[in-house]
Amino acid sequence: MATKCRHCGSTSYGHSCIYGPRKIHEHRDDSKHCEWCGSTSYGHSCIYSPDKLHRHGPGDNKCIWCGSTSNGAGCIYSPTRRHEK
């Protein structure tokens, strides 16, 4: 089942969200894909993210920034440098 943008309900990624604050679709309910672009990647190179970092939805006991199952400090991509789940 395709995930939907939290602002408008569309299954699209990227630009053209009519209700999003940045006009970008956000899919926060998928732990396997980046919430802004739909990629399975972690780290740099998300073209739609405000900070150019991929961020996945929560779940599967994984950090939303790097995919690690670790807890606490040590995430190289998180703005706080802590693993967030």
Coordinates of all heavy atoms in Angstrom, one line a residue:
M1 N 0.8 -1.2 0.0 CA 0.0 0.0 0.0 C 0.9 1.2 0.0 O 1.8 1.4 0.8 CB -0.9 0.0 1.2 CG -1.8 1.2 1.3 SD -3.0 1.0 2.6 CE -2.2 1.9 3.9
A2 N 0.6 2.2 -0.8 CA 1.4 3.4 -0.9 C 1.0 4.3 0.3 O -0.1 4.4 0.7 CB 1.0 4.1 -2.2
T3 N 2.1 5.0 0.7 CA 1.9 5.9 1.8 C 1.3 7.2 1.3 O 1.4 7.5 0.1 CB 3.2 6.2 2.6 OG1 4.1 6.8 1.7 CG2 3.8 4.9 3.1
K4 N 0.8 8.1 2.2 CA 0.2 9.3 1.7 C 0.8 10.5 2.5 O 1.3 10.4 3.6 CB -1.3 9.3 2.0 CG -2.0 8.3 1.2 CD -3.5 8.3 1.4 CE -4.1 7.3 0.4 NZ -5.6 7.3 0.6
C5 N 0.9 11.6 1.8 CA 1.4 12.9 2.3 C 0.5 13.3 3.6 O -0.7 13.2 3.5 CB 1.3 14.0 1.3 SG 1.8 15.6 1.9
R6 N 1.2 13.7 4.6 CA 0.5 14.0 5.9 C -0.3 15.3 5.7 O -1.1 15.6 6.5 CB 1.5 14.1 7.0 CG 2.4 15.2 7.0 CD 3.4 15.1 8.2 NE 4.1 16.4 8.4 CZ 3.8 17.2 9.5 NH1 2.8 16.8 10.3 NH2 4.4 18.3 9.6
H7 N 0.1 16.1 4.7 CA -0.6 17.4 4.6 C -1.8 17.3 3.6 O -2.8 17.9 3.9 CB 0.4 18.5 4.0 CG 1.5 18.7 4.9 ND1 1.4 19.3 6.2 CD2 2.8 18.5 4.8 CE1 2.6 19.4 6.7 NE2 3.5 18.9 5.9
C8 N -1.7 16.6 2.5 CA -2.7 16.7 1.5 C -3.3 15.3 1.1 O -4.3 15.2 0.4 CB -2.2 17.3 0.2 SG -1.0 16.3 -0.7
G9 N -2.7 14.2 1.6 CA -3.2 12.9 1.3 C -2.8 12.3 0.0 O -3.1 11.2 -0.4
S10 N -1.9 13.0 -0.8 CA -1.4 12.5 -2.1 C -0.4 11.4 -1.9 O 0.3 11.4 -0.9 CB -0.8 13.7 -2.9 OG -0.1 13.2 -4.0
T11 N -0.2 10.5 -2.9 CA 0.8 9.5 -2.8 C 2.1 10.0 -3.5 O 3.1 9.3 -3.5 CB 0.4 8.2 -3.5 OG1 0.0 8.5 -4.9 CG2 -0.8 7.6 -2.8
S12 N 2.1 11.3 -4.0 CA 3.2 11.9 -4.7 C 4.3 12.3 -3.7 O 4.0 12.5 -2.5 CB 2.8 13.1 -5.4 OG 1.9 12.8 -6.5
Y13 N 5.5 12.4 -4.2 CA 6.7 12.9 -3.4 C 7.1 14.2 -4.1 O 6.8 14.4 -5.2 CB 7.8 11.9 -3.4 CG 7.6 10.8 -2.4 CD1 7.0 9.6 -2.9 CD2 8.0 10.8 -1.1 CE1 6.8 8.6 -2.0 CE2 7.8 9.8 -0.3 CZ 7.2 8.6 -0.7 OH 7.0 7.6 0.1
G14 N 7.9 15.0 -3.4 CA 8.5 16.2 -4.0 C 7.6 17.4 -3.9 O 6.7 17.6 -3.0
H15 N 7.8 18.3 -4.8 CA 7.0 19.6 -4.9 C 5.6 19.4 -5.2 O 5.2 18.3 -5.7 CB 7.7 20.5 -5.9 CG 9.1 20.9 -5.6 ND1 9.4 21.8 -4.6 CD2 10.2 20.5 -6.1 CE1 10.7 21.9 -4.5 NE2 11.2 21.1 -5.4
S16 N 4.8 20.4 -5.0 CA 3.4 20.5 -5.4 C 2.4 20.1 -4.3 O 1.2 19.9 -4.6 CB 3.1 19.7 -6.7 OG 3.0 18.3 -6.5
C17 N 2.8 20.0 -3.1 CA 1.8 19.8 -2.0 C 1.1 21.1 -1.7 O 1.8 22.1 -1.3 CB 2.5 19.3 -0.7 SG 1.4 19.1 0.6
I18 N -0.1 21.2 -1.9 CA -0.9 22.4 -1.8 C -1.0 22.9 -0.4 O -1.3 24.1 -0.1 CB -2.2 22.4 -2.5 CG1 -3.1 21.3 -1.9 CG2 -2.0 22.2 -4.0 CD1 -4.5 21.2 -2.5
Y19 N -0.9 22.0 0.6 CA -1.1 22.3 2.0 C 0.2 22.4 2.8 O 0.2 22.9 4.0 CB -2.1 21.4 2.7 CG -3.5 21.4 2.0 CD1 -4.0 20.3 1.4 CD2 -4.2 22.6 2.0 CE1 -5.2 20.3 0.8 CE2 -5.5 22.6 1.4 CZ -5.9 21.5 0.8 OH -7.2 21.5 0.2
G20 N 1.3 21.8 2.4 CA 2.5 21.8 3.1 C 3.1 23.1 3.3 O 3.1 24.0 2.4
P21 N 3.7 23.4 4.4 CA 4.3 24.7 4.7 C 5.4 25.1 3.7 O 5.6 26.3 3.4 CB 4.9 24.6 6.1 CG 4.9 23.2 6.4 CD 3.9 22.5 5.6
R22 N 6.1 24.1 3.1 CA 7.2 24.4 2.1 C 6.7 23.9 0.8 O 7.5 23.9 -0.2 CB 8.5 23.7 2.5 CG 9.1 24.3 3.8 CD 10.4 23.5 4.2 NE 11.2 23.1 3.1 CZ 11.4 21.9 2.8 NH1 10.9 20.9 3.4 NH2 12.2 21.6 1.8
K23 N 5.5 23.5 0.6 CA 4.9 23.0 -0.6 C 5.6 21.7 -1.1 O 5.6 21.3 -2.2 CB 5.0 24.0 -1.8 CG 4.4 25.3 -1.4 CD 2.9 25.2 -1.1 CE 2.2 26.5 -0.8 NZ 1.1 26.4 0.0
I24 N 6.1 20.9 -0.1 CA 6.8 19.7 -0.3 C 5.9 18.6 0.4 O 5.5 18.7 1.5 CB 8.2 19.6 0.3 CG1 9.1 20.7 -0.3 CG2 8.9 18.3 0.1 CD1 9.5 20.6 -1.7
H25 N 5.7 17.5 -0.3 CA 5.0 16.3 0.3 C 5.8 15.7 1.4 O 7.0 15.6 1.2 CB 4.6 15.3 -0.8 CG 3.7 15.8 -1.8 ND1 2.4 16.0 -1.6 CD2 3.9 16.1 -3.1 CE1 1.8 16.4 -2.7 NE2 2.7 16.4 -3.6
E26 N 5.2 15.3 2.5 CA 5.9 14.6 3.6 C 5.1 13.3 3.9 O 3.9 13.3 4.2 CB 5.9 15.5 4.8 CG 6.7 16.7 4.7 CD 6.8 17.5 5.9 OE1 6.7 17.0 7.0 OE2 6.8 18.8 5.8
H27 N 5.8 12.2 3.9 CA 5.3 10.8 4.2 C 5.9 10.3 5.4 O 7.0 9.6 5.4 CB 5.5 9.9 3.0 CG 4.9 10.3 1.7 ND1 3.9 9.5 1.2 CD2 5.1 11.3 0.9 CE1 3.5 10.1 0.0 NE2 4.2 11.2 -0.1
R28 N 5.4 10.6 6.6 CA 6.1 10.2 7.9 C 5.7 8.9 8.4 O 6.1 8.5 9.4 CB 5.7 11.3 8.9 CG 6.4 12.6 8.7 CD 6.3 13.5 9.9 NE 7.0 14.7 9.6 CZ 7.0 15.7 10.4 NH1 6.3 15.6 11.6 NH2 7.7 16.8 10.1
D29 N 4.9 8.1 7.6 CA 4.4 6.8 8.1 C 5.1 5.6 7.5 O 4.6 4.5 7.6 CB 2.9 6.7 8.0 CG 2.5 6.9 6.5 OD1 3.3 7.4 5.7 OD2 1.3 6.6 6.2
D30 N 6.3 5.8 6.9 CA 7.0 4.7 6.3 C 8.4 4.7 6.8 O 9.3 5.5 6.4 CB 7.0 4.9 4.7 CG 7.6 3.8 4.0 OD1 8.1 2.9 4.6 OD2 7.5 3.8 2.7
S31 N 8.8 3.7 7.5 CA 10.1 3.5 8.1 C 11.2 3.1 7.1 O 12.3 3.1 7.4 CB 10.1 2.6 9.3 OG 9.7 1.3 8.9
K32 N 10.7 2.6 6.0 CA 11.6 2.1 5.0 C 12.0 3.1 3.9 O 12.9 2.8 3.1 CB 11.0 0.8 4.3 CG 10.8 -0.3 5.3 CD 10.2 -1.5 4.7 CE 10.0 -2.7 5.6 NZ 10.0 -2.5 7.0
H33 N 11.4 4.2 3.9 CA 11.7 5.2 2.8 C 11.8 6.6 3.4 O 11.1 6.9 4.4 CB 10.5 5.2 1.8 CG 10.4 3.9 1.1 ND1 9.6 2.9 1.5 CD2 11.1 3.5 0.0 CE1 9.7 1.9 0.7 NE2 10.6 2.2 -0.2
C34 N 12.5 7.5 2.7 CA 12.7 8.9 3.1 C 11.3 9.6 3.0 O 10.6 9.4 2.1 CB 13.7 9.6 2.2 SG 13.8 11.3 2.5
E35 N 11.0 10.3 4.0 CA 9.7 11.0 4.1 C 9.5 12.1 3.0 O 8.4 12.4 2.6 CB 9.4 11.6 5.4 CG 10.2 12.8 5.8 CD 9.8 13.3 7.2 OE1 10.0 12.6 8.2 OE2 9.3 14.4 7.2
W36 N 10.6 12.6 2.5 CA 10.5 13.7 1.5 C 10.6 13.2 0.0 O 9.9 13.7 -0.9 CB 11.5 14.8 1.7 CG 11.2 15.6 2.9 CD1 10.2 16.4 3.1 CD2 12.0 15.6 4.1 NE1 10.2 17.0 4.4 CE2 11.4 16.5 5.0 CE3 13.2 15.0 4.5 CZ2 11.9 16.8 6.3 CZ3 13.7 15.3 5.7 CH2 13.0 16.2 6.6
C37 N 11.5 12.2 -0.2 CA 11.7 11.8 -1.6 C 11.3 10.3 -1.9 O 11.3 10.0 -3.1 CB 13.2 12.0 -2.0 SG 14.4 10.9 -1.2
G38 N 11.1 9.5 -0.9 CA 10.7 8.1 -1.1 C 11.9 7.2 -1.3 O 11.7 6.0 -1.5
S39 N 13.1 7.7 -1.2 CA 14.3 6.8 -1.4 C 14.5 5.9 -0.2 O 14.1 6.2 0.9 CB 15.6 7.7 -1.5 OG 16.7 7.0 -1.5
T40 N 15.2 4.8 -0.4 CA 15.5 3.9 0.7 C 16.9 4.3 1.3 O 17.3 3.7 2.3 CB 15.6 2.4 0.2 OG1 16.5 2.4 -0.8 CG2 14.2 1.9 -0.2
S41 N 17.5 5.3 0.8 CA 18.8 5.8 1.3 C 18.7 6.5 2.6 O 17.7 7.1 2.9 CB 19.5 6.7 0.3 OG 19.7 6.0 -0.9
Y42 N 19.9 6.6 3.3 CA 20.0 7.4 4.5 C 21.1 8.4 4.2 O 21.9 8.2 3.3 CB 20.4 6.6 5.7 CG 19.3 5.7 6.2 CD1 19.1 4.4 5.8 CD2 18.4 6.2 7.1 CE1 18.1 3.6 6.3 CE2 17.4 5.4 7.6 CZ 17.2 4.1 7.2 OH 16.2 3.4 7.7
G43 N 21.2 9.5 5.0 CA 22.3 10.4 4.8 C 22.0 11.6 3.9 O 20.9 12.0 3.7
H44 N 23.1 12.1 3.2 CA 23.0 13.2 2.3 C 22.4 12.9 1.0 O 22.2 11.7 0.6 CB 24.4 13.7 2.1 CG 25.1 14.2 3.3 ND1 24.8 15.4 3.9 CD2 26.0 13.6 4.1 CE1 25.5 15.6 5.0 NE2 26.3 14.5 5.2
S45 N 22.0 13.9 0.3 CA 21.5 13.9 -1.1 C 20.0 13.8 -1.3 O 19.5 13.5 -2.4 CB 22.2 12.8 -1.9 OG 21.6 11.5 -1.6
C46 N 19.2 14.1 -0.3 CA 17.8 14.2 -0.5 C 17.5 15.6 -1.1 O 17.8 16.6 -0.5 CB 17.0 14.1 0.8 SG 15.2 14.3 0.6
I47 N 16.9 15.6 -2.3 CA 16.7 16.8 -3.0 C 15.5 17.7 -2.5 O 15.4 18.9 -2.8 CB 16.5 16.6 -4.5 CG1 15.3 15.7 -4.8 CG2 17.8 16.0 -5.1 CD1 15.0 15.5 -6.3
Y48 N 14.7 17.1 -1.7 CA 13.5 17.8 -1.2 C 13.6 18.2 0.3 O 12.9 19.1 0.8 CB 12.2 17.0 -1.4 CG 12.0 16.7 -2.8 CD1 12.0 15.4 -3.3 CD2 11.8 17.7 -3.8 CE1 11.7 15.1 -4.6 CE2 11.6 17.4 -5.1 CZ 11.5 16.1 -5.5 OH 11.3 15.8 -6.8
S49 N 14.5 17.6 1.0 CA 14.6 17.9 2.5 C 15.2 19.3 2.7 O 16.1 19.7 1.9 CB 15.6 16.9 3.1 OG 16.1 17.3 4.3
P50 N 14.8 20.0 3.7 CA 15.3 21.3 4.0 C 16.8 21.3 4.3 O 17.5 22.3 4.0 CB 14.5 21.8 5.2 CG 13.8 20.7 5.8 CD 13.7 19.6 4.7
D51 N 17.3 20.3 4.8 CA 18.7 20.2 5.2 C 19.5 19.2 4.3 O 20.6 18.8 4.5 CB 18.9 19.8 6.6 CG 18.2 18.6 7.0 OD1 17.6 17.9 6.2 OD2 18.1 18.3 8.2
K52 N 18.8 18.7 3.2 CA 19.4 17.8 2.2 C 19.7 16.4 2.8 O 20.5 15.7 2.2 CB 20.6 18.4 1.5 CG 20.4 19.7 0.9 CD 19.3 19.6 -0.2 CE 19.1 21.0 -0.9 NZ 17.7 21.2 -1.3
L53 N 19.2 16.1 3.9 CA 19.4 14.8 4.6 C 18.1 14.0 4.5 O 17.0 14.5 4.7 CB 19.7 14.9 6.0 CG 21.1 15.5 6.3 CD1 21.2 15.8 7.8 CD2 22.2 14.6 5.9
H54 N 18.3 12.7 4.1 CA 17.1 11.8 4.1 C 16.7 11.5 5.6 O 17.5 11.4 6.5 CB 17.5 10.4 3.5 CG 17.9 10.5 2.1 ND1 16.9 10.7 1.1 CD2 19.1 10.4 1.5 CE1 17.5 10.7 -0.1 NE2 18.8 10.5 0.1
R55 N 15.4 11.5 5.8 CA 14.8 11.2 7.1 C 13.6 10.2 6.9 O 12.7 10.5 6.1 CB 14.3 12.4 7.8 CG 13.8 12.1 9.2 CD 13.5 13.4 10.0 NE 12.3 14.0 9.5 CZ 11.8 15.2 9.9 NH1 12.5 15.9 10.8 NH2 10.7 15.7 9.4
H56 N 13.7 9.1 7.5 CA 12.7 8.1 7.4 C 11.6 8.2 8.4 O 11.8 8.9 9.4 CB 13.3 6.7 7.5 CG 14.2 6.3 6.3 ND1 14.1 5.1 5.7 CD2 15.1 7.0 5.6 CE1 15.0 5.0 4.7 NE2 15.5 6.2 4.6
G57 N 10.5 7.6 8.2 CA 9.4 7.6 9.2 C 9.9 6.7 10.4 O 10.8 5.8 10.3
P58 N 9.3 6.9 11.6 CA 9.6 6.0 12.7 C 9.1 4.6 12.6 O 8.1 4.4 11.8 CB 8.9 6.7 13.9 CG 7.8 7.5 13.3 CD 8.2 7.8 11.9
G59 N 9.8 3.7 13.2 CA 9.3 2.3 13.2 C 10.5 1.3 13.1 O 11.6 1.7 12.8
D60 N 10.2 0.1 13.2 CA 11.2 -1.0 13.0 C 12.4 -0.9 14.0 O 13.5 -1.4 13.7 CB 11.7 -1.1 11.6 CG 10.6 -1.5 10.6 OD1 9.6 -2.1 11.0 OD2 10.8 -1.1 9.4
N61 N 12.2 -0.1 15.1 CA 13.3 0.2 16.0 C 14.6 0.7 15.4 O 15.7 0.4 15.8 CB 13.6 -1.1 16.8 CG 14.4 -0.8 18.1 OD1 14.2 0.2 18.7 ND2 15.3 -1.7 18.4
K62 N 14.4 1.5 14.3 CA 15.6 2.1 13.6 C 15.6 3.6 13.8 O 14.6 4.3 13.9 CB 15.5 1.8 12.1 CG 15.7 0.3 11.8 CD 15.7 0.2 10.3 CE 15.9 -1.3 9.9 NZ 15.8 -1.4 8.4
C63 N 16.8 4.1 13.8 CA 17.0 5.6 13.8 C 16.4 6.2 12.5 O 16.7 5.6 11.4 CB 18.5 5.9 13.9 SG 18.9 7.7 13.8
I64 N 15.7 7.3 12.6 CA 15.1 7.8 11.4 C 16.1 8.5 10.5 O 15.9 8.8 9.3 CB 14.0 8.9 11.8 CG1 14.5 10.0 12.6 CG2 12.8 8.2 12.5 CD1 13.5 11.1 12.9
W65 N 17.3 8.8 11.0 CA 18.3 9.5 10.3 C 19.3 8.6 9.6 O 19.8 8.8 8.5 CB 19.1 10.5 11.2 CG 18.2 11.6 11.7 CD1 17.7 11.7 12.9 CD2 17.8 12.7 11.0 NE1 16.9 12.8 13.1 CE2 17.0 13.5 11.9 CE3 17.9 13.2 9.7 CZ2 16.4 14.7 11.5 CZ3 17.3 14.4 9.3 CH2 16.6 15.1 10.2
C66 N 19.7 7.5 10.3 CA 20.8 6.6 9.8 C 20.4 5.1 9.6 O 21.1 4.4 9.0 CB 22.0 6.7 10.7 SG 21.9 5.9 12.3
G67 N 19.3 4.7 10.2 CA 18.8 3.3 10.1 C 19.4 2.4 11.1 O 19.1 1.2 11.1
S68 N 20.2 2.9 12.0 CA 20.8 2.0 13.0 C 19.8 1.7 14.1 O 18.9 2.4 14.4 CB 22.0 2.8 13.7 OG 22.5 2.1 14.8
T69 N 20.0 0.5 14.8 CA 19.2 0.2 15.9 C 19.8 0.6 17.2 O 19.2 0.3 18.3 CB 18.9 -1.4 15.9 OG1 20.2 -2.0 15.9 CG2 18.1 -1.8 14.7
S70 N 20.9 1.3 17.2 CA 21.5 1.8 18.4 C 20.7 2.9 19.0 O 19.8 3.5 18.4 CB 22.9 2.5 18.0 OG 23.7 1.5 17.5
N71 N 21.0 3.2 20.3 CA 20.3 4.2 21.1 C 21.3 5.3 21.5 O 22.5 5.0 21.6 CB 19.7 3.6 22.3 CG 18.5 2.7 22.0 OD1 17.6 3.1 21.2 ND2 18.5 1.5 22.5
G72 N 20.9 6.5 21.8 CA 21.7 7.5 22.4 C 22.6 8.2 21.3 O 22.2 8.3 20.2
A73 N 23.7 8.7 21.8 CA 24.6 9.5 20.9 C 25.3 8.6 19.8 O 25.4 7.4 20.0 CB 25.7 10.1 21.8
G74 N 25.7 9.3 18.8 CA 26.5 8.6 17.8 C 25.9 8.6 16.4 O 26.5 8.0 15.4
C75 N 24.8 9.2 16.2 CA 24.2 9.3 14.8 C 25.0 10.4 14.0 O 24.9 11.5 14.4 CB 22.7 9.5 14.8 SG 22.0 9.6 13.2
I76 N 25.6 10.0 12.9 CA 26.3 11.0 12.1 C 25.4 11.9 11.3 O 25.9 12.9 10.8 CB 27.4 10.3 11.2 CG1 26.7 9.3 10.2 CG2 28.4 9.5 12.1 CD1 27.6 8.8 9.2
Y77 N 24.2 11.6 11.1 CA 23.3 12.4 10.3 C 22.3 13.3 11.1 O 21.8 14.3 10.6 CB 22.5 11.6 9.3 CG 23.4 10.8 8.3 CD1 23.4 9.4 8.3 CD2 24.3 11.5 7.5 CE1 24.3 8.8 7.4 CE2 25.2 10.8 6.7 CZ 25.1 9.5 6.6 OH 26.0 8.8 5.7
S78 N 22.0 12.8 12.3 CA 21.0 13.6 13.1 C 21.5 15.0 13.4 O 22.7 15.1 13.8 CB 20.7 12.8 14.4 OG 20.0 13.6 15.3
P79 N 20.7 16.0 13.4 CA 21.1 17.3 13.8 C 21.6 17.4 15.2 O 22.4 18.2 15.6 CB 19.9 18.2 13.6 CG 19.0 17.5 12.6 CD 19.3 16.0 12.8
T80 N 21.0 16.5 16.1 CA 21.4 16.5 17.5 C 22.5 15.5 17.8 O 23.0 15.4 18.9 CB 20.2 16.1 18.3 OG1 19.8 14.8 18.0 CG2 19.0 17.1 18.1
R81 N 22.9 14.7 16.7 CA 24.0 13.7 16.8 C 23.5 12.5 17.7 O 24.3 11.7 18.2 CB 25.3 14.2 17.3 CG 25.9 15.3 16.4 CD 26.2 14.6 15.1 NE 26.9 15.6 14.2 CZ 26.5 15.7 12.9 NH1 25.5 15.0 12.4 NH2 27.1 16.6 12.1
R82 N 22.2 12.4 18.0 CA 21.6 11.3 18.8 C 20.7 10.5 17.8 O 20.1 11.1 17.0 CB 20.9 11.8 20.0 CG 21.8 12.7 20.9 CD 21.0 13.1 22.2 NE 20.7 11.9 23.0 CZ 21.5 11.2 23.8 NH1 22.7 11.6 23.9 NH2 21.1 10.2 24.5
H83 N 20.7 9.2 18.1 CA 19.8 8.4 17.3 C 18.3 8.7 17.7 O 18.0 8.8 18.9 CB 20.1 6.9 17.6 CG 21.4 6.5 17.1 ND1 21.7 6.3 15.7 CD2 22.6 6.2 17.7 CE1 23.0 6.0 15.6 NE2 23.5 5.9 16.8
E84 N 17.5 8.9 16.8 CA 16.1 9.2 17.0 C 15.2 8.1 16.4 O 15.4 7.7 15.3 CB 15.7 10.5 16.4 CG 16.5 11.7 17.0 CD 16.1 13.0 16.3 OE1 14.9 13.3 16.0 OE2 17.0 13.8 16.0
K85 N 14.3 7.6 17.2 CA 13.4 6.5 16.7 C 12.0 6.9 16.6 O 11.5 7.8 17.2 CB 13.6 5.3 17.5 CG 15.0 4.8 17.4 CD 15.2 3.5 18.2 CE 16.7 3.1 18.0 NZ 17.0 2.0 18.7

